Amino acid sequence: QVQVVESGGGLVQPGGSLRLSCAASGSIRGVYVMGWYRQAPGKQRELVATITSGGRINSADSVKGRFTISRDNAKNTVYLQMNSLKPNDTAVYYCRADITSTSGSYYSYWGQGTQVTVSS
């Protein structure tokens, strides 16, 4: 079995910072793309940022210059450092990890989501 677990959400004032973490664990042979998506109330889930095992990054224009994605391949963990947060960053943030398990199957695993609320 494979698990993907996020942590680090919460309530922050506009202009503040938060750091999200997401760790993949279990019967893993390889972890390829890891990334963050978010879904605000009444809206579709959207890409925030992704990073490959080689370090190639893709991020939404709305977060460039404010959010930084990074990963620790040895720990199968991805991070999202969020600075200069705005109220419209409020959403449930989901981690996604594209994983080959020890059984050989390749699948996109999603975490349960963590709430980020930006409000004064």
Side-chain angles (χ1 to χ4, degrees):
Q1 286 187 340
V2 174
Q3 287 186 316
V4 174
V5 179
E6 305 108 332
S7 61
L11 173 65
V12 64
Q13 293 186 342
S17 298
L18 280 176
R19 189 190 195 211
L20 305 183
S21 299
C22 170
S25 62
S27 303
I28 295 172
R29 177 181 298 174
V31 183
Y32 305 101
V33 179
M34 299 187 80
W36 295 94
Y37 294 73
R38 65 186 181 186
Q39 187 166 18
K43 294 187 177 181
Q44 290 188 330
R45 190 173 297 188
E46 63 177 8
L47 168 74
V48 177
T50 60
I51 183 169
T52 68
S53 56
R56 182 173 296 179
I57 292 171
N58 180 38
S59 60
D61 288 343
S62 60
V63 306
K64 286 180 179 177
R66 300 189 298 122
F67 292 9
T68 302
I69 189 170
S70 61
R71 68 187 280 177
D72 184 333
N73 289 332
K75 295 181 179 179
N76 292 330
T77 299
V78 63
Y79 306 96
L80 186 68
Q81 178 66 43
M82 304 185 292
N83 298 329
S84 302
L85 282 159
K86 304 175 182 179
N88 61 6
D89 292 317
T90 295
V92 178
Y93 284 69
Y94 295 92
C95 176
R96 168 188 157 187
D98 295 346
I99 294 171
T100 298
S101 67
T102 53
S103 69
S105 61
Y106 180 80
Y107 192 71
S108 290
Y109 292 85
W110 291 86
Q112 79 286 356
T114 186
Q115 178 70 46
V116 172
T117 302
V118 185
S119 175
S120 56

